[in-house]
Amino acid sequence: MITVRDLSKSYRTVQALKGVSFDIGANEIVGLLGPNGAGKTTVIKTLTGYLQPGGGRVTVDGLDVLSHRKEIQTRIGYLPENTPLYPELSVQDYLKMMADLRQVPPDRRDAAISEAVYATGLTDQLTRPIGQLSKGYRQRVGLAQAILAKPKLLILDEPTIGLDPTQVVAMRDLIRRLADHTTILFSTHILSEVEALCDRVIILISGEIRADARLSDLATTHNAILVLQSEIPDLEREIRNLPHIREVEAIDQGGSYPTFRILGENGDDICPAIFELAQQRSWPLRELKRDTQTLETIFNRLATTA
């Protein structure tokens, strides 16, 4: 659905994007994660045709953004961070106007509006002026206009910003339902949003992609955690003698069971070899598992690495 190759963009002396490349397949839900100023909005504006790239190539649904901008925009639903709404219009009148602008066929317009209203939970707000709605309902109106034409690609830029916890949960549920038939690119700087909604994340820092992987793959490490019932002499030396072991670190658990983090050299699971050694030596094994890391740990490490 999306192909980005060597995308670059500069604003005078500031290089916002530095050779960004990634692919997003049909019906994926992908989080574009990064701190403020990382270049997320620049990527989104380029994908939607609102911004011309300084270099590189971008295609959406097989069409080049530069040469097929209007055609691509008919296939995209876009919820910007600050949705341009008309406060004096009722929800119904605004959606009718947007349906006309999105060139929804007249014989499909009423049905399209009804479907969008139902999907976003706006049924009881149709006659109210947008200016009288809460922040959460205004976000829903913005999302309703984005899905009116049943786009192949839905791009959401910070869709939960400013929402209260109840509204955030409702927005997450709605995005999950939409992902059943739409490709979704979800831009945010909130880690919990990516963990709650996305199977895959692209981490953008200082205009560069630092990670692009499924969350499950990012969370899994080459390391293992070993917990014993009691202390074992020479344990660290014996484990270091195993193949593909880089280091053994004792973890201070505040006086509880002896715990070690064992660092592996490659992508192989080192737990079977450790378990076999523990059996041979009759170690009082309490727990052995592959080590994992949180998205927060990964993000902080990438953000502080030059």
Side-chain angles (χ1 to χ4, degrees), residues 39 99 104 130-131 135 198 202 215 227 240:
V104 176
I130 293 174
K135 169 69 173 175
C198 306
I202 297 171
L215 285 175
V227 183
R240 286 193 188 97

Side-chain angles (χ1 to χ4, degrees), residues 142-155:
L143 188 55
Q145 66 79 25
I147 65 176
L148 265 176
K150 292 191 174 180
K152 289 187 174 182
L153 172 63
L154 186 60
I155 297 179

Side-chain angles (χ1 to χ4, degrees), residues 73-89:
Q73 288 176 344
T74 65
R75 306 183 186 193
I76 294 177
Y78 178 34
L79 178 65
E81 183 176 354
N82 298 303
T83 309
L85 301 173
Y86 295 84
E88 68 279 6
L89 292 181

Side-chain angles (χ1 to χ4, degrees), residues 2-301:
I2 298 174
T3 299
V4 176
R5 291 289 177 271
D6 298 320
L7 181 62
S8 62
K9 180 65 179 178
S10 296
Y11 299 97
R12 295 185 179 179
T13 59
V14 177
Q15 192 170 3
L17 298 176
K18 308 169 186 176
V20 169
S21 297
F22 61 86
D23 297 289
I24 296 177
N27 297 329
E28 278 195 277
I29 178 166
V30 178
L32 182 61
L33 176 64
N36 292 327
K40 303 187 302 298
T41 299
T42 300
V43 169
I44 284 175
K45 287 184 176 179
T46 303
L47 290 173
T48 55
Y50 288 104
L51 193 64
Q52 185 167 329
R57 186 167 186 263
V58 178
T59 63
V60 175
D61 201 19
L63 301 175
D64 187 276
V65 168
L66 289 178
S67 55
H68 297 85
R69 180 171 59 88
K70 289 186 177 180
E71 188 175 354
I72 286 172
Q73 288 176 344
T74 65
R75 306 183 186 193
I76 294 177
Y78 178 34
L79 178 65
E81 183 176 354
N82 298 303
T83 309
L85 301 173
Y86 295 84
E88 68 279 6
L89 292 181
S90 69
V91 172
Q92 182 173 267
D93 289 340
Y94 171 75
L95 293 178
K96 285 180 178 178
M97 180 187 71
M98 295 306 299
D100 290 339
L101 290 174
R102 297 302 300 269
Q103 299 179 341
V104 176
D107 61 343
R108 271 282 305 151
R109 190 183 69 170
D110 289 346
I113 291 173
S114 295
E115 290 169 9
V117 165
Y118 178 77
T120 53
L122 288 169
T123 306
D124 296 333
Q125 310 296 323
L126 279 177
T127 59
R128 292 189 64 189
I130 293 174
Q132 295 180 10
L133 299 179
S134 67
K135 169 69 173 175
Y137 275 116
R138 290 198 300 273
Q139 284 289 84
R140 293 188 190 198
V141 173
L143 188 55
Q145 66 79 25
I147 65 176
L148 265 176
K150 292 191 174 180
K152 289 187 174 182
L153 172 63
L154 186 60
I155 297 179
L156 309 174
D157 192 1
E158 304 284 1
T160 61
I161 197 77
L163 303 186
D164 64 37
T166 301
Q167 293 166 340
V168 168
V169 171
M171 183 65 76
R172 287 176 182 173
D173 290 341
L174 175 56
I175 291 170
R176 288 191 195 99
R177 293 198 301 271
L178 293 171
D180 290 340
H181 52 77
T182 304
T183 302
I184 297 178
L185 179 61
F186 178 89
S187 169
T188 185
H189 65 279
I190 303 173
L191 300 177
S192 59
E193 291 302 300
V194 174
E195 290 179 315
L197 284 167
C198 306
D199 292 324
R200 177 181 160 207
V201 61
I202 297 171
I203 299 178
L204 190 67
I205 296 175
S206 300
E208 298 177 312
I209 290 181
R210 298 289 181 86
D212 179 359
R214 296 182 66 83
L215 285 175
S216 57
D217 294 335
L218 278 177
T220 302
T221 72
H222 304 160
N223 309 326
I225 298 295
L226 173 66
V227 183
L228 300 171
Q229 293 280 4
S230 58
E231 297 283 352
I232 299 295
D234 296 327
L235 175 140
E236 295 182 37
R237 178 184 58 79
E238 290 209 55
I239 293 179
R240 286 193 188 97
N241 288 333
L242 291 173
H244 310 302
I245 300 299
R246 180 161 49 92
E247 188 55 79
V248 180
E249 301 174 346
I251 302 174
D252 185 3
Q253 298 284 76
S256 60
Y257 299 104
T259 304
F260 302 87
R261 176 176 288 109
I262 303 163
L263 310 183
E265 286 184 334
N266 53 37
D268 295 334
D269 186 358
I270 58 177
C271 288
I274 298 170
F275 181 73
E276 184 177 349
L277 177 64
Q279 282 191 314
Q280 292 173 357
R281 300 293 190 268
S282 299
W283 290 345
L285 187 64
R286 182 175 179 84
E287 183 179 6
L288 175 63
K289 64 181 180 180
R290 196 158 184 173
D291 194 15
T292 58
Q293 54 187 347
T294 65
L295 184 58
E296 180 179 6
T297 301
I298 297 164
F299 183 79
N300 288 337
R301 186 183 73 247

